[in-house]
Amino acid sequence: MILKIAWKNVWRSRGRSLVVIGSIVVGIWALLFGSGFMNGFLVGYMANIIDNDISNIQIHNPEFKKDLDIKFYIENGKDKAAAIRTWQGVKGATTRTVVSGMISSPKKASGVQIRGIELENEAIVTSLDSIISEGTYFEGIKRNPVIIGSKLAENLSTKLRSKVVLTFNDSQGNITAAAFRVVGIVKSSSLAISEMYAYVRQEDLTRLAGLDGQIHEIAVITDPQIDEAGIVNKYKETYKEDLAETWKETAPELAMMSEMYGSMLYVLMGIIMTALVFGIVNTMLMAVLERFRELGMLMAVGMNKMRVYFMILIETVFLGIIGAPIGLFVGWVTIYYYRVNGVDLSNYSEGLEAFGYSSILYPYLEPNTYYIVTVGVIITAVIGALYPAWKAVKLNPVEALHKI
Amino acid sequence: MSVIKAENVTKTYNETKVPVHALNGINLEVSEGEFTAIVGPSGCGKTTLLNILGGLDHPTEGNVEVADTNIGEMSDGKLIDFRLQNIGFVFQAYNLIPVLTNKENVEFIMLLQKQDKKTRNDRSMDLLTQMGIAEKANQRPSELSGGQQQRVAVARALASKPKFILADEPTANLDSKSTATLLDIMAKMNEEENATFVFSTHDQRVIDKAKRVVTLVDGVVVSDETK
């Protein structure tokens, strides 16, 4: 019957209870949408970097990571890449010949990383062909085609089909320069792709650099549900001489961002739940104060303090139990809608892209976030009820019975 | 057999500042089956005495025994359980739980006593029938008149089968007709169930109905008459 009384007490002041339930709904919605929004930024950013740039796994000669010298190539790199492609969980693997150099147009010059790529495999691993905004993916120009990022093209004041000169040290340490023609311009929110890379055919680069098909980098993309660490371990066991790293090791700042997001969820939850606690304390305190005489009567006739305490707690938990599913549902619907349609932030695209973010945001939440939020709301409701419940049990029945 | 025994009970409020002596050495014994009215002018200490006899307040000095148990030394927690098993209360303002039906209000005490559902159901309906409001069992208190609400409160007080019932000005908010009906019912419960009633009142109609009248003035018993 205590449950029944508590339930009926919730609806004793319908308007007030609805306000609290409404604040719980809005709180949960804001928390879910805020988290989904933040997570969407992060997931989008990470997806851009991983899918278009660093991939899930990168393999190098250990010395190459310390000094990007052309001589630190991977022994039998192409054979190793071919073997990796057959491994379970590997979606694709591509090799790259990488040299540092300069790119210059008739007007300007800029430092650049020249990436000699396998056209077909690169398209599988980084989808480079899909982010061409102008021109083609190495089609239409037979001799020395190059693809550069939109920002780099802007910096060089160059455009499609213009000539640029790539200058770099060959395998003998001699400075080599060759004219290339811009066959395509890629547009990406990744700063590296947009500003720092020049993609050329691997055979063109190895020929000019005096290499015999040697490569410096193997990039591997895995199936989404696969833990890349397992593949890295397998590689290390098979080819002990090379340095194989997951994206978390290749780009520790991304891993840190991912961890920071987890902390931010709790910070955001803390802020919203704290505001909610004050709302609940206020409401439940009013509910207790206006029922002083009734609570005094209950204690006078023999309802012990523990029962009074739990009755107030249960009333508050009921408010949470009503509000939480509604808030979760509204939050889920909002996130689902925007996950399908995206949040258009194109008004801020220039600023966002300058930091490597996409201008269309797709909010996303891990399923366990809903669980965390539900538990958080119940805990918040209980915390919010502690003081009013304590106030109730501290009542002196004699004084309470004579309250007007 | 006495159900209440108060010996040299005093109660002083504001002991450290300006002391107010509400009760000054009260000696009172109430036996099972009595129908006692405690009367006196406002501020004479009637309600204070009832609160102390009911274990809602502690005396400054003296002893109070209820059913041979000294309740003056009990902790607040033990007193709550003691009240539940031994004392029934009827308040001036009824103090029913507005969100429960009248039957549930009566059942509630028995639920706290952990009585089974059938016992609760049978006794609550029996008491409401004796109070003449069985047909209102499933209505809320707010749908009843003041007199009817007070009858539900009496049924609630009797439901736990207490040793005695303390009624603080039970007729103060009632009209003449409701007062007469309520008093008849309580008198009938006193006769038929040997229920012990102790009232505080200034209502002459209650005083006329009482079998014993204890008069207080300035916290002292000045007369104790049995009719």
Side-chain angles (χ1 to χ4, degrees):
Chain A
M1 195 175 282
I2 288 175
L3 282 176
K4 190 174 180 180
I5 295 175
W7 174 252
K8 289 185 174 183
N9 279 335
V10 167
W11 301 111
R12 186 184 268 197
S13 178
R14 192 177 294 264
R16 193 171 56 208
S17 293
L18 287 175
V19 167
V20 177
I21 291 166
S23 62
I24 291 172
V25 170
V26 171
I28 292 176
W29 174 83
L31 184 54
L32 289 177
F33 190 65
S35 302
F37 200 81
M38 275 183 0
N39 200 24
F41 262 121
L42 181 71
V43 168
Y45 180 75
M46 286 174 56
N48 275 341
I49 304 281
I50 293 171
D51 295 346
N52 298 137
D53 185 5
I54 63 173
S55 307
N56 296 96
I57 298 166
Q58 284 192 8
I59 297 156
H60 298 96
N61 179 320
E63 297 302 317
F64 187 77
K65 287 284 280 188
K66 296 176 198 162
D67 177 5
L68 298 176
D69 196 304
I70 194 167
K71 68 185 179 209
F72 297 130
Y73 51 82
I74 301 170
E75 292 285 350
N76 304 317
K78 284 185 178 288
D79 295 339
K80 288 172 181 172
I84 294 169
R85 281 185 207 109
T86 64
W87 291 358
Q88 199 177 4
V90 171
K91 222 163 117 184
T94 190
T95 64
R96 295 177 192 132
T97 303
V98 180
V99 294
S100 298
M102 292 281 290
I103 185 167
S104 47
S105 70
K107 291 180 182 171
K108 288 180 185 169
S110 177
V112 73
Q113 188 181 80
I114 306 160
R115 308 188 127 202
I117 59 172
E118 300 174 315
L119 303 191
E120 199 177 320
N121 287 324
E122 187 72 31
I124 293 168
V125 173
T126 63
S127 310
L128 184 62
D129 57 334
S130 68
I131 54 172
I132 302 279
S133 61
E134 287 180 64
T136 62
Y137 186 62
F138 294 101
E139 287 170 5
I141 294 174
K142 285 186 180 169
R143 187 176 162 74
N144 289 354
V146 63
I147 291 175
I148 58 173
S150 55
K151 199 81 182 167
L152 183 58
E154 194 183 313
N155 292 346
L156 294 171
S157 303
T158 193
K159 54 188 182 187
L160 204 62
R161 298 196 160 269
S162 297
K163 263 191 180 174
V164 290
V165 174
L166 294 178
T167 310
F168 51 91
N169 284 355
D170 67 12
S171 60
Q172 303 305 311
N174 302 317
I175 292 174
T176 304
F180 283 74
R181 196 175 288 278
V182 178
V183 68
I185 293 176
V186 292
K187 191 169 172 64
S188 168
S189 52
S190 161
L191 289 176
I193 295 171
S194 184
E195 210 168 346
M196 292 162 63
Y197 296 159
Y199 297 94
V200 299
R201 290 186 301 219
Q202 200 171 77
E203 58 269 29
D204 292 341
L205 185 58
T206 53
R207 175 173 42 80
L208 291 165
L211 293 168
D212 186 20
Q214 287 97 337
I215 55 106
H216 300 97
E217 185 170 277
I218 302 172
V220 181
I221 194 98
T222 61
D223 288 327
Q225 69 276 15
I226 293 291
D227 178 16
E228 49 268 273
I231 293 171
V232 163
N233 288 337
K234 186 175 175 182
Y235 187 89
K236 283 177 178 170
E237 284 165 16
T238 316
Y239 308 109
K240 293 186 175 59
E241 66 278 17
D242 296 330
L243 176 68
E245 295 171 305
T246 65
W247 64 268
K248 288 179 185 169
E249 294 159 311
T250 311
E253 71 281 3
L254 277 190
M256 195 184 77
M257 278 178 74
S258 176
E259 280 172 25
M260 256 179 63
Y261 162 74
S263 310
M264 283 300 288
L265 171 67
Y266 290 107
V267 171
L268 193 63
M269 195 155 111
I271 293 167
I272 291 176
M273 294 302 172
T274 303
L276 207 54
V277 161
F278 282 105
I280 290 171
V281 168
N282 181 43
T283 304
M284 291 313 296
L285 209 50
M286 282 169 68
V288 166
L289 293 177
E290 73 180 19
R291 277 157 51 201
F292 249 34
R293 207 153 75 170
E294 186 181 314
L295 293 169
M297 178 278 293
L298 288 172
M299 285 197 266
V301 301
M303 188 165 173
N304 65 38
K305 293 186 175 190
M306 196 58 89
R307 280 186 162 138
V308 173
Y309 193 83
F310 277 112
M311 187 175 75
I312 304 293
L313 277 188
I314 290 165
E315 281 179 34
T316 320
V317 170
F318 276 146
L319 291 172
I321 287 174
I322 299 165
I326 301 171
L328 287 169
F329 179 72
V330 175
W332 177 80
V333 167
T334 312
I335 286 173
Y336 181 80
Y337 175 81
Y338 283 111
R339 198 177 168 192
V340 172
N341 297 295
V343 181
D344 187 0
L345 300 172
S346 49
N347 285 345
Y348 312 100
S349 61
E350 205 170 319
L352 288 168
E353 282 168 11
F355 287 98
Y357 291 107
S358 167
S359 59
I360 303 287
L361 178 79
Y362 296 94
Y364 169 73
L365 275 185
E366 295 285 345
N368 73 337
T369 309
Y370 293 95
Y371 170 74
I372 292 168
V373 169
T374 306
V375 172
V377 168
I378 302 293
I379 291 172
T380 304
V382 171
I383 291 171
L386 291 179
Y387 177 64
W390 177 81
K391 192 94 178 156
V393 297
K394 283 287 160 194
L395 274 178
N396 177 341
V398 174
E399 288 172 14
L401 282 164
H402 292 96
K403 286 257 182 210
I404 295 171
Chain B
M1 181 191 163
S2 69
V3 288
I4 301 172
K5 195 173 177 185
E7 289 178 334
N8 200 27
V9 170
T10 65
K11 180 69 183 177
T12 307
Y13 294 107
N14 289 332
E15 281 180 273
T16 53
K17 294 177 184 173
V18 184
V20 176
H21 302 287
L23 299 176
N24 293 301
I26 298 279
N27 290 295
L28 180 70
E29 202 168 331
V30 177
S31 298
E32 193 178 339
E34 278 193 18
F35 203 69
T36 302
I38 296 172
V39 301
S42 292
C44 71
K46 300 188 294 290
T47 300
T48 302
L49 179 59
L50 245 63
N51 287 339
I52 289 173
L53 298 181
L56 292 171
D57 205 354
H58 294 280
T60 308
E61 283 177 29
N63 286 325
V64 177
E65 283 184 19
V66 171
D68 297 327
T69 305
N70 188 342
I71 63 170
E73 292 166 4
M74 277 187 182
S75 66
D76 285 348
K78 282 190 175 173
L79 267 176
I80 290 177
D81 283 339
F82 187 83
R83 289 198 296 265
L84 176 63
Q85 304 301 339
N86 295 284
I87 307 170
F89 290 91
V90 178
F91 306 99
Q92 182 180 330
Y94 330 131
N95 287 341
L96 299 171
I97 303 171
V99 294
L100 298 183
T101 65
N102 299 314
K103 180 168 171 279
E104 287 168 340
N105 265 284
V106 179
E107 273 188 88
F108 184 65
I109 298 287
M110 291 183 277
L111 190 84
L112 294 177
Q113 289 180 317
K114 298 187 172 121
Q115 294 192 27
D116 62 77
K117 193 174 178 182
K118 185 176 183 310
T119 307
R120 294 198 314 259
N121 185 58
D122 292 350
R123 182 148 176 81
S124 57
M125 282 315 296
D126 181 41
L127 285 166
L128 289 172
T129 304
Q130 290 185 65
M131 298 295 146
I133 46 174
E135 75 284 1
K136 311 274 186 191
N138 294 317
Q139 292 180 8
R140 297 271 179 96
S142 57
E143 296 170 68
L144 304 187
S145 68
Q148 288 171 324
Q149 285 188 54
Q150 197 61 303
R151 280 188 260 165
V152 176
V154 172
R156 179 180 66 186
L158 286 163
S160 61
K161 296 190 174 169
K163 298 281 189 301
F164 64 95
I165 292 163
L166 293 174
D168 187 12
E169 310 261 10
T171 58
N173 291 347
L174 304 183
D175 58 33
S176 306
K177 194 178 167 194
S178 299
T179 299
T181 309
L182 185 73
L183 287 172
D184 286 344
I185 288 170
M186 288 199 285
K188 188 175 146 209
M189 301 307 289
N190 174 248
E191 291 290 333
E192 293 178 2
E193 295 207 3
N194 201 32
T196 308
F197 283 88
V198 179
F199 306 93
S200 76
T201 188
H202 327 80
D203 190 333
Q204 191 57 45
R205 293 162 298 185
V206 180
I207 297 167
D208 292 344
K209 201 87 177 178
K211 293 176 186 168
R212 180 184 173 191
V213 178
V214 177
T215 308
L216 290 186
V217 175
D218 294 336
V220 177
V221 176
V222 293
S223 75
D224 186 348
E225 294 171 16
T226 304
K227 295 177 188 170

